[in-house]
Amino acid sequence: MAKIVGGYATSHVPAIGVAIDQAKTEEPYWQPVFAGYEWSRKWIEEVKPDVVFVVYNDHATAFSLELIPTFALGCAAEYAPADEGWGARPVPTVHGHPELAWHIAQSVILDEFDITIVNDMEVDHGLTVPLSLAFGQPHAWPCAVIPLAVNVVQYPPPTGNRCLQFGKAIRKAIESFPHDMRVVVFGTGGMSHQLQAQRAGLINPEFDQRFLDLLVNDPDAAAAIPHVDYLRDAGSEGIELVMWLVMRGALGDDVKELHRHYHVPASNTAVGHLVLEPK
């Protein structure tokens, strides 16, 4: 049977991808950011997942205001890196796992999560930056990837509780898959940041650290944070943190925190990173 062996949460700041692609990771500005991922790079090499399930949000590449799925599960065999306006990132094509993805789709839909199934889409920095942080710059990604795109761009996004409960349904789906494989679930986005209007550049370390603590130790409390609190305390893009709750729900009730990293700033964003292990 398939087994979830870890959870990996990280910000997906596009400038991090640029720093990797342009060999700037050792520059003084960027070195403290990437130093916090050295431990987890070794960890994931040792864990050797067969599949990573990546919860992320699309940034108007696969979807637009014409089509806004709340939860979109990729069931395709591959996903090309998207051109976000300055050319596609020089990263490998992402190869999916259609058999497991369709199994998850069937399981969660029958558990009354009405997702959108996607068989053709490109993936942007929201997915490729976390893969680069975890796996570096390989010629091919070392495992299959199943993408789950969550709408956190156009109001209303899903609640934290809905994301946490969806993660639990994903866990049930993965662990009922009748083939032996190791799965790591990624939650991406955040942490506090705002990209526009009078509060552009907002970062709130106090909110971020409290969220990290709640995510590990009291996910129900983290899931109860209302949209307005994210907006007020973590900026308009802080709502991306609900995607971490999908990952947390997939790990079960109790987890062990293996690694934590927090750095301010990277571009105009607070960078957070956790590695968790189900107990």
Side-chain angles (χ1 to χ4, degrees):
M1 306 293 282
K3 181 180 180 181
I4 295 174
V5 296
Y8 184 107
T10 183
S11 305
H12 59 217
V13 185
I16 290 177
V18 175
I20 295 170
D21 300 342
Q22 297 184 3
K24 295 182 177 182
T25 59
E26 294 301 320
E27 292 184 359
Y29 179 87
W30 286 108
Q31 197 279 331
V33 176
F34 290 100
Y37 289 86
E38 293 175 3
W39 185 94
S40 47
R41 180 87 61 84
K42 295 175 183 176
W43 171 82
I44 208 162
E45 286 178 358
E46 294 174 358
V47 168
K48 291 183 170 59
D50 301 293
V51 177
V52 293
F53 185 96
V54 182
V55 186
Y56 78 109
N57 68 286
D58 175 75
H59 301 78
T61 54
F63 307 111
S64 70
L65 293 180
E66 296 174 347
L67 179 64
I68 310 170
T70 299
F71 297 113
L73 180 67
C75 294
E78 65 180 33
Y79 310 89
D83 181 349
E84 299 181 61
W86 51 86
R89 288 191 63 215
V91 296
T93 295
V94 174
H95 292 282
H97 197 296
E99 185 180 4
L100 177 57
W102 276 100
H103 174 84
I104 294 170
Q106 174 177 293
S107 180
V108 299
I109 289 171
L110 294 180
D111 276 342
E112 301 184 349
F113 286 88
D114 302 320
I115 63 169
T116 300
I117 295 171
V118 185
N119 291 313
D120 184 13
M121 70 175 177
E122 296 181 338
V123 291
D124 64 18
H125 72 269
L127 183 137
T128 63
V129 166
L131 292 183
S132 295
L133 286 167
F135 299 114
Q137 295 176 289
H139 294 296
W141 300 119
C143 58
V145 177
I146 297 176
L148 175 72
V150 180
N151 169 43
V152 291
V153 174
Q154 178 64 38
Y155 193 84
T159 65
N161 183 61
R162 187 61 169 170
C163 289
L164 184 69
Q165 301 309 317
F166 189 28
K168 294 178 181 180
I170 291 167
R171 176 185 179 90
K172 176 184 173 184
I174 290 173
E175 296 194 338
S176 66
F177 188 63
H179 300 289
D180 290 338
M181 61 177 54
R182 299 164 64 80
V183 180
V184 172
V185 181
F186 281 41
T188 78
M191 293 191 83
S192 60
H193 64 300
Q194 179 155 328
L195 302 179
Q196 67 285 308
Q198 289 85 349
R199 297 199 307 162
L202 180 148
I203 291 175
N204 186 344
E206 182 178 351
F207 177 91
D208 292 338
Q209 294 288 2
R210 177 173 176 269
F211 182 85
L212 292 171
D213 290 339
L214 290 176
L215 190 75
V216 176
N217 301 307
D218 193 352
D220 289 332
I225 299 171
H227 288 154
V228 68
D229 285 12
Y230 285 107
L231 179 63
R232 181 189 61 239
D233 297 333
S236 53
E237 280 68 47
I239 189 63
E240 292 177 353
L241 289 169
V242 298
M243 297 186 289
W244 293 33
L245 285 158
V246 180
M247 176 275 292
R248 181 63 181 84
L251 299 184
D253 293 337
D254 297 316
V255 298
K256 179 180 180 181
E257 180 179 326
L258 301 180
H259 179 66
R260 180 186 295 204
H261 172 52
Y262 184 77
H263 178 80
V264 173
S267 182
N268 55 3
T269 304
V271 170
H273 175 42
L274 282 175
V275 178
L276 305 177
E277 181 180 73
K279 286 186 177 179

